[in-house]
Amino acid sequence: MIAAGTSPLVPLAALAARAETAWLLRLAFFPMDPPSKRPAMSPEAAARFRGMVDRDFAVVWRLLRGLGVAAGTVDDAAQQVFLIASQRIDVITAGSERSFLLATARGVAANVRRSQARSHEVPDEAAVAEKVDEGANPEQALASRQARALLDSILEELPEDAREVFVLFELEGMTMAAIAETLGLPPGTVASRLRRAREEFHAASKRFQAAAHRGAAR
Amino acid sequence: MSDPQRLLAEGANDFERDLLRSWEVEQPSDAARARVLAAAGLGAAVTAVATATKLGAAAGGSIAPKAIVSAGGAVVAKWLAVGAVGLAITGATVGYVRHAARVRRNEEAAARAATPENDATKSAQIAAPAPAPDGVPEAVPVAPTSPHTRNRVTPREHASAVGALGEQVSALDSARRALASGDAASAIRQLDEYEARFPEGALVEEAEVLRVEALVATGDRGAAERAGQRFLAAHPNSPHATRVRALIAP
């Protein structure tokens, strides 16, 4: 069916102004080539980017997991964070690389979580298992996996702002000052979020322990 | 103001400590790290088509192929119906259809090449892994290549490159595990094998650093120093340079 307002008499100029038209014309002459149009990084920028990956990939990856990105999606989300960093490497101030990455990770995590909520995606146990280093002791690995699943459930329950402070301080071992700087928050706010997160963490762990005892008593 | 003690050190019961310690059990794979470098055109030439497809809609910053199909399809239908600007549409449609077919072929080839050790195909498509002499290889994207691109990689070449990176990552992982478990000699053997199999591999730099570590672990300071100096001469700007200097420092 022809949509209202679209007729053979519509001037070409008006069609060309449409976003879809622009895309189709672009595809006709430059089919899907944006990555190759990206200028290559200078050797200095490349060395700096490698340094960022070397130092901060693991922390970004774990933060994404801590902020609720599913195990099956976290590799892609981490890649998204670093792709953004690679595209903006020239504007990232020296010394603030980690802040940039963590801030970007927060944004990407929020988007991915929204996407997960829309698609009702549930954590994929196989994907979780794949991320866990089984080591030499499968029983220990199983216990660790179960503990990790519980930790994820508790983190899920924390308010978002408190959760990231909890992850960065308690789990990643960052200092309060570094967290305040990274998140752009006054130190007092970081401290109060941490207090709140701890209260929630203790409360949730008590609930889990009580539930476990009830289960064992049956 | 000093930081409070962390819960793990003070204030958590045994159950909570177990939960907190479990944070460390999940770690990113080396393959995921390698993909990030490769996607940025460092280490191996890669494009992140699957990532863009998966996350693009959520991020709102890029147009996923599905959205293009949907928008493009609707417009094509309308335009064909009204018979307007037929030439441009034909060109666009042919361009897109060709492109879509090429992407599909590449994705199918990558899927065929996927193995449990090689999850690199999830979000990356890999082309020529050979690095440039200065250690900053030029990016040669595969999937979204223009029809005019000369260096087009066939699905077979593409699949084998994907498989090769997966094998490289596995080989280095295995050497790293051997070193971590205290078997430095086995690590060195595996590194020899790696460098023999992949003389221009994407992870050669990492392999050389690992070799220095392994040599230090064996107590062979002389060999460690020679390997370290060789590395520093070849890769003076490497992010690993500081580590290597520290390893071979007297």
Side-chain angles (χ1 to χ4, degrees):
Chain A
M1 188 179 128
I2 300 171
T6 307
S7 83
L9 301 177
V10 173
L12 279 178
L15 282 171
R18 293 180 171 200
E20 306 96 302
T21 316
W23 259 101
L24 284 169
L25 289 174
R26 191 165 167 234
L27 283 169
F29 298 108
F30 308 104
M32 294 292 285
D33 217 4
S36 65
K37 303 281 179 218
R38 220 165 44 222
M41 271 191 256
S42 67
E44 294 76 21
R48 197 163 158 232
F49 182 74
R50 272 181 183 274
M52 288 166 74
V53 175
D54 210 35
R55 274 191 312 273
D56 295 326
F57 184 76
V59 63
V60 165
W61 190 95
R62 289 193 301 260
L63 177 64
L64 288 165
R65 284 288 289 127
L67 295 180
V69 175
T73 317
V74 65
D75 284 358
D76 289 343
Q79 183 163 353
Q80 175 94 344
V81 171
F82 279 88
L83 267 179
I84 292 169
S86 74
Q87 286 158 3
R88 305 199 184 151
I89 188 79
D90 294 329
V91 297
I92 302 173
T93 321
S96 66
E97 290 89 351
R98 175 173 274 200
S99 293
F100 178 90
L101 290 169
L102 297 188
T104 307
R106 291 164 76 203
V108 168
N111 287 334
V112 173
R113 274 203 312 274
R114 272 197 292 276
S115 167
Q116 283 172 183
R118 275 201 303 273
S119 64
H120 305 291
E121 188 172 325
V122 290
D124 175 3
E125 283 191 15
V128 171
E130 191 181 287
K131 308 292 176 202
V132 176
D133 183 3
E134 296 282 345
N137 186 340
E139 277 178 29
Q140 181 60 41
L142 177 64
S144 298
R145 266 214 302 278
Q146 287 167 340
R148 178 55 204 255
L150 280 177
L151 178 64
D152 282 345
S153 302
I154 292 177
L155 291 176
E156 248 343 280
E157 291 184 18
L158 301 184
E160 199 173 319
D161 55 356
R163 172 157 70 172
E164 62 191 359
V165 171
F166 187 85
V167 167
L168 294 175
F169 183 79
E170 301 290 358
L171 304 173
E172 283 299 326
M174 282 175 67
T175 64
M176 300 284 270
I179 296 169
E181 193 186 332
T182 299
L183 302 183
L185 294 171
T189 306
V190 175
S192 67
R193 287 184 184 182
L194 179 64
R195 271 197 302 277
R196 192 151 48 99
R198 284 178 161 189
E199 286 165 11
E200 301 261 357
F201 175 77
H202 287 309
S205 84
K206 273 191 189 122
R207 275 203 318 280
F208 277 114
Q209 278 177 286
H213 286 141
R214 279 199 303 277
R218 269 182 210 144
Chain B
M1 190 187 85
S2 63
D3 282 1
Q5 284 283 345
R6 283 175 176 75
L7 278 180
L8 250 179
E10 187 179 286
N13 60 34
D14 289 345
F15 176 72
E16 290 171 339
R17 269 196 289 275
D18 283 345
L19 295 186
L20 293 168
R21 282 198 198 100
S22 75
W23 179 249
E24 295 289 335
V25 304
E26 276 189 36
Q27 297 292 342
S29 66
D30 285 345
R33 196 187 306 258
R35 272 203 305 278
V36 165
L37 287 170
L42 307 171
V46 166
T47 56
V49 171
T51 299
T53 308
K54 206 165 182 178
L55 299 174
S62 60
I63 298 177
K66 203 184 284 181
I68 298 169
V69 169
S70 153
V75 173
V76 167
K78 273 195 273 180
W79 284 14
L80 289 177
V82 299
V85 288
L87 194 59
I89 288 300
T90 307
T93 310
V94 167
Y96 179 72
V97 167
R98 276 187 191 160
H99 159 72
R102 193 163 54 244
V103 169
R104 207 164 40 245
R105 278 198 305 274
N106 283 345
E107 283 174 351
E108 284 166 6
R112 279 197 301 275
T115 66
E117 296 79 32
N118 175 25
D119 62 354
T121 50
K122 271 187 198 162
S123 64
Q125 299 196 6
I126 298 156
D134 61 355
V136 186
E138 190 186 345
V140 186
V142 180
T145 40
S146 139
H148 312 296
T149 305
R150 283 166 191 273
N151 295 338
R152 200 180 309 164
V153 176
T154 66
R156 185 182 297 272
E157 288 165 338
H158 169 83
S160 96
V162 169
L165 184 62
E167 284 176 42
Q168 290 182 54
V169 170
S170 296
L172 273 204
D173 265 352
S174 174
R176 192 172 283 119
R177 274 198 301 274
L179 181 58
S181 69
D183 192 350
S186 163
I188 290 170
R189 267 197 310 278
Q190 293 182 48
L191 290 169
D192 288 341
E193 284 170 21
Y194 171 85
E195 287 179 0
R197 281 185 68 194
F198 308 103
E200 295 190 353
L203 304 174
V204 159
E205 216 173 298
E206 285 70 23
E208 288 176 26
V209 178
L210 203 52
R211 179 183 296 278
V212 178
E213 280 181 39
L215 288 168
V216 169
T218 60
D220 190 346
R221 297 283 315 171
E225 262 179 47
R226 283 192 298 280
Q229 295 299 353
R230 213 167 39 236
F231 176 88
L232 292 171
H235 314 284
N237 296 321
S238 166
H240 302 302
T242 311
R243 191 163 152 212
V244 171
R245 280 192 203 98
L247 280 168
I248 61 174

